[in-house]
Amino acid sequence: MSLWLVRAGAYGEHEQKFLDDGRLYLTWENLTEVPLSEASNYDEIKALIQKYHPDEKSRKIGNWSGQIWAFALAIKKGDWVVVPSKKSSTIAIGEVESDYHFDSEAKPLYRHYRKVKWLNKAVPRSAFDQDLLYSFGAFLTVCEIKRNDAEARVKEMAKNSWTASNVRKTSLVAFVPTDTENQADVFDLEQLSRDAIARLIIQKFKGHGMARLVEAILQAQGFTTYRSPEGPDKGIDILASGGPFGFDHPRICVQVKSGDSPVDRPEFQQLIGAMNDVKADQGLFVAWGDFKQTVYREVPAKFFTVRLWNQNDLIENLLINYDKLDQDIKAELPLKQIWTLAASEI
């Protein structure tokens, strides 16, 4: 058995489709009319790609061919797959249940697929050791995570309630065949940097400290704030409003959860009740462990009154407002901005 990385779009645009359908899709544009079952090996896949992309450079053809070969021919029933989310700080883990299929009646981007049984749709990234996150950060859309004992360690995590195992670690490599092998060593540096920032945040601001960090971000945005003392807060961790005295609008009621478990609808409703109690105009719910779909389904109805921040949103707002943060917060979270070449999805 093997462990595979499969991405659900450059921006995570296909993630929910993967999870809802119980399928992995090869969402490869310009390859929607071709059943890949016409090919029986890597060379035939490569010839097929060259036929439909005659003007592309050989390096790119080799790169694409390796990934398409992996999806259509190399992945086997019983293999495990990881699908990192671009929209939240979670990773879905599944077991492949079928061979490759081509459905000519489906929408173009969803014609190439494999069935998958999801074992866990939202394992927090923080549950994985850093070297595994490096493996999962390869820019390739499809590749095998071959070394680092990754397969054994992920399966051990499944037995251990999805917490990191003690299986021996080895050097990192992600594998694709022939002339594309080194391409898997290109990583999403931005995501890896955010993983490091996330680890530091949870070390420094676990528990009620997370409310202190959120308050600092709101103050950097120009709000006057009140933070509840540690202990039972009845759904109110922070109150924020405009103006130097905090008498102006908008008036915001903030709830902050620093745990790893996704927030469910009853906790969301508690925030709504707290907003009514203090006559807040809007609410902000910050959940480090993200939200369940029962909460996300409430978003359209509450769009003009409530905002949700998951881990990604919190870090994004932290980075946007970092220069304006209190010096004590900066000392606890020492960050610097660097410039690097942008790597396109390959």
Side-chain angles (χ1 to χ4, degrees):
M1 298 295 104
S2 300
L3 179 69
W4 297 89
L5 168 71
V6 178
R7 296 191 175 278
Y11 307 102
E13 61 270 32
H14 307 297
E15 287 175 15
Q16 203 57 51
K17 180 75 171 174
F18 277 40
L19 299 177
D20 290 345
D21 291 359
R23 292 181 176 183
L24 305 171
Y25 292 102
L26 185 67
T27 55
W28 214 281
E29 294 183 9
N30 303 322
L31 197 66
T32 59
E33 306 298 328
V34 187
L36 301 176
S37 52
E38 293 181 5
S40 60
N41 56 47
Y42 171 77
D43 289 334
E44 291 180 4
I45 288 283
K46 189 172 182 179
L48 192 64
I49 302 306
Q50 287 175 322
K51 175 182 177 181
Y52 285 90
H53 299 276
D55 298 325
E56 289 293 348
K57 296 179 180 179
S58 59
R59 180 179 175 84
K60 182 171 286 189
I61 291 295
N63 175 275
W64 289 353
S65 301
Q67 297 178 71
I68 294 166
W69 166 87
F71 189 91
L73 298 174
I75 296 176
K76 306 298 182 185
K77 288 188 288 187
D79 286 353
W80 281 29
V81 61
V82 297
V83 180
S85 174
K86 286 279 191 178
K87 296 185 176 181
S88 69
S89 295
T90 61
I91 295 175
I93 309 289
E95 181 179 345
V96 178
E97 289 192 309
S98 79
D99 294 326
Y100 161 81
H101 293 285
F102 179 78
D103 181 1
S104 61
E105 301 299 319
K107 291 183 178 179
L109 290 181
Y110 303 125
R111 290 177 179 173
H112 307 284
Y113 73 90
R114 286 175 175 270
K115 294 180 182 178
V116 62
K117 177 176 70 176
W118 295 114
L119 306 175
N120 192 317
K121 294 182 178 181
V123 183
R125 293 183 66 90
S126 58
F128 296 91
D129 292 323
Q130 183 59 58
D131 61 326
L132 288 181
L133 292 178
Y134 273 110
S135 297
F136 303 158
F139 257 121
L140 295 174
T141 301
V142 184
C143 66
E144 184 181 2
I145 309 300
K146 191 174 179 64
R147 300 182 185 173
N148 240 18
D149 291 326
E151 179 193 356
R153 290 164 61 193
V154 171
K155 288 185 175 180
E156 189 65 23
M157 289 177 65
K159 298 176 183 177
N160 197 34
S161 301
W162 299 104
T163 57
S165 69
N166 293 318
V167 177
R168 180 178 62 87
K169 303 174 186 178
T170 59
S171 61
L172 164 69
V173 130
F175 170 80
V176 292
T178 62
D179 50 347
T180 65
E181 182 170 350
N182 291 333
Q183 292 295 327
D185 293 328
V186 181
F187 301 107
D188 187 343
L189 296 179
E190 182 179 8
Q191 181 60 65
L192 295 175
S193 296
R194 290 195 177 211
D195 286 338
I197 293 170
R199 286 195 304 278
L200 185 58
I201 288 175
I202 207 61
Q203 289 171 11
K204 298 284 189 177
F205 298 97
K206 185 72 173 178
H208 193 65
M210 189 74 71
R212 183 165 64 90
L213 178 60
V214 173
E215 180 185 36
I217 293 172
L218 293 172
Q219 289 174 346
Q221 292 175 330
F223 289 100
T224 300
T225 63
Y226 165 82
R227 175 163 46 92
S228 299
E230 191 169 0
D233 53 37
K234 298 182 180 179
I236 302 173
D237 283 307
I238 304 167
L239 296 174
S241 55
F245 293 101
F247 296 151
D248 297 344
H249 294 271
R251 297 173 177 175
I252 303 173
C253 180
V254 186
Q255 176 72 302
V256 181
K257 297 291 184 183
S258 65
D260 288 333
S261 299
V263 167
D264 207 345
R265 193 170 180 272
E267 295 162 293
F268 180 77
Q269 291 299 323
Q270 184 184 38
L271 172 63
I272 302 301
M275 289 167 55
N276 293 330
D277 290 343
V278 299
K279 297 180 173 57
D281 302 314
Q282 282 99 25
L284 171 64
F285 206 138
V286 182
W288 187 256
D290 215 320
F291 303 89
K292 292 188 175 180
Q293 285 302 311
T294 53
V295 177
Y296 281 119
R297 283 195 286 267
E298 297 280 341
V299 168
K302 302 294 184 183
F303 182 80
F304 295 110
T305 54
V306 179
R307 283 291 177 270
L308 305 179
W309 282 6
N310 59 23
Q311 183 183 133
N312 283 354
D313 300 316
L314 174 59
I315 293 176
E316 181 69 23
N317 280 277
L318 168 71
L319 297 179
I320 290 172
N321 295 283
Y322 186 78
D323 289 343
K324 300 177 184 178
L325 289 178
D326 179 91
Q327 291 302 317
D328 290 339
I329 297 290
K330 284 185 176 182
E332 293 179 83
L333 284 174
L335 306 177
K336 68 176 181 179
Q337 188 177 49
I338 63 172
W339 293 96
T340 186
L341 290 175
S344 59
E345 195 81 11
I346 61 177

